């Protein structure tokens, strides 16, 4: 190998995989040698790898279904009674399965990562699954409820009762005080954002939002979510559907995210009157009406600031920091006491420089921002991405599948969505708080789903009436 080729190979080792392959082809052509290869210059330290036998021993006799029941029994003790007392509109002579059996079958399917109703029926069609669900639901079963049976019940179920179950879960977790360390000056951070669930060629239930592209109308299902953030966990606090109440034309104003937040804010204040929140949203929320809602409810806020959203505020902020930056921390910029439409707040900026690019983050907030805490408040502002990643991305592309509506019936469609929110909360308590999961050294969420499913459908689960509650969930900071 000549020195020039050797030098080019060494210089190319730091390139990414795709760039290395491209460079390889160039060198092969240049030196007329098809055997030329560029190895990665990265060095990998070998971790404490487990053999397949070690892995089997780690998961042997570990029961994640029992672990889930331990968590719910300790931290959500009223959940079984709330489920059992759901309003049942079925004719009594046709009732085969209790409301608890209907609810828990659907809930455990979601916790297992089973996203479709038909798959649930097929997966749970084992003698072990029937026996285990009999014990979990407290009903002697000869068969697990068919997906159509569950659909029929959900179509008649009261949405408000499911929302109340979620409210109970949120309140119970907060009262457990295990998330108090995530408060900022007594405030919980509440992330708000909307997401599209699906796009259709027809107007499902007559209330979809519409967009016209190239003369063709598309119909969309949207929902606004508010999620509490506790470290790596995001917990659904409230949901508001963004939908048209009547068949809108292109000239009529459609429902929107900010209007949905106005409706949601009323409900949040009513349901959680004593809780203090730091509402965190993108630049869409940086408007006088939304700021006024936060002020009236004594909430704090952190909103992204964009020049085209609050032009006067942005220009004032820029002029102020050009004259005097109120923080001495490198890459941070601060201007306090900015007045706009009878509101006073701080505007601040963080400039992040990496090898690839420079990114600028601008915010406004009614928190007391100073040189001492600007880095912490910027970190909270940037935490907004968690509703996208741990929230929507996980529910769309990870364990769950909120884009699969499961039903065309409006009532059932929404209840399936709320079931996913409840299942996601329980899964996160297991994934991030369970010492058993850490001891098992499970690497992926998919592996957790597989372990739960296999236990439920293939193993005998005993002693469910004597589940230990003398334990604590432990969450990383």
């Amino acid at each position: 190998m000549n020195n020039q080729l050797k030098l080019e190979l060494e210089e190319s080792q730091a390139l990414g995989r795709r760039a290395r392959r491209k460079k390889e082809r160039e060198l092969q052509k240049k030196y007329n040698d098809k055997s030329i290869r560029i190895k990665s210059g990265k060095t990998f330290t070998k971790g404490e790898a487990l053999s397949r036998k070690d892995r089997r021993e780690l998961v042997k006799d570990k029961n994640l279904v029992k672990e889930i029941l331990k968590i719910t029994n300790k931290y959500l003790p009223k959940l079984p009674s709330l489920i059992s007392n759901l309003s049942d509109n079925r004719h009594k002579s046709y009732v085969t399965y209790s409301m608890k059996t209907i609810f828990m079958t659907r809930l455990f399917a979601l916790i297992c990562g089973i996203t479709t109703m038909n798959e649930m029926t097929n997966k749970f069609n084992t003698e072990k699954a029937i026996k285990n669900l009999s014990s979990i639901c407290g009903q002697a079963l000869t068969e697990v409820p068919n997906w159509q049976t569950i659909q029929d019940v959900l179509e008649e179920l009261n949405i408000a009762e499911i929302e109340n179950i979620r409210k109970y879960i949120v309140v119970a977790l907060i009262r457990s005080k295990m998330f108090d360390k995530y408060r900022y000056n007594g405030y919980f951070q509440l992330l708000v954002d909307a997401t599209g669930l699906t796009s259709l060629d027809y107007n499902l239930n007559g209330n979809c939002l519409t967009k016209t592209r190239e003369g063709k109308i598309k119909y969309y299902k949207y929902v606004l979510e508010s999620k509490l953030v506790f470290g790596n966990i995001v917990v659904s606090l409230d949901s508001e559907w963004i939908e048209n109440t009547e068949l809108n034309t292109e000239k009529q104003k459609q429902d929107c995210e900010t209007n949905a937040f106005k409706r949601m804010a009323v409900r949040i204040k009513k349901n959680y009157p004593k809780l203090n929140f730091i509402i965190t949203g993108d630049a869409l929320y940086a408007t006088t009406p939304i700021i006024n809602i936060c002020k009236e409810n004594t909430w704090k806020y952190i909103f992204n600031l964009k020049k085209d959203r609050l032009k006067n505020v942005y220009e004032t902020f820029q002029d102020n920091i050009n004259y005097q930056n109120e923080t001495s921390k490198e890459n941070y910029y601060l201007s306090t006491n900015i007045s706009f439409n009878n509101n006073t707040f701080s505007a601040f900026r963080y400039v992040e420089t990496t090898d690839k690019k420079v990114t600028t983050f601008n915010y406004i907030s009614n928190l007391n921002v100073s040189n001492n805490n600007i880095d912490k408040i910027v970190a909270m502002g940037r935490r907004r991405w968690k509703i996208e990643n741990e929230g929507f991305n996980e529910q769309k592309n990870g364990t769950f599948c909120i884009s699969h509506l499961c039903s065309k019936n409006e009532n059932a469609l929404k209840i399936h969505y709320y079931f996913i929110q409840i299942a996601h909360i329980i899964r996160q308590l297991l994934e991030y708080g369970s010492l058993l999961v850490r001891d098992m050294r499970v690497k992926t969420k998919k592996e957790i789903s597989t372990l739960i499913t296999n236990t439920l459908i293939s193993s005998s689960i005993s002693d469910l009436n004597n589940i230990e509650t003398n334990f604590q969930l432990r969450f990383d900071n």
Side-chain angles (χ1 to χ4, degrees), residues 138-199:
Q139 180 182 3
L141 302 174
T142 56
E143 295 289 346
V144 172
N146 182 273
W147 69 268
Q148 187 61 63
T149 302
I150 295 176
Q151 289 283 36
D152 292 342
V153 173
L154 298 193
E155 288 181 10
E156 301 295 328
L157 202 56
N158 189 335
I159 289 178
E161 292 182 358
I162 303 299
E163 291 176 323
N164 283 336
I165 289 177
R166 177 175 57 181
K167 177 186 173 183
Y168 161 72
I169 292 172
V170 171
V171 172
L173 293 179
I174 289 173
R175 286 180 176 172
S176 73
K177 298 188 181 301
M178 62 181 171
F179 295 122
D180 277 359
K181 63 182 178 180
Y182 299 110
R183 292 179 188 256
Y184 179 82
N185 293 340
Y187 288 78
F188 282 117
Q189 187 173 11
L190 188 64
L191 313 177
V192 290
D193 198 11
T195 189
L197 301 184
T198 190
S199 63

Side-chain angles (χ1 to χ4, degrees), residues 104 163 403:
M104 294 303 287
E163 291 176 323
S403 298

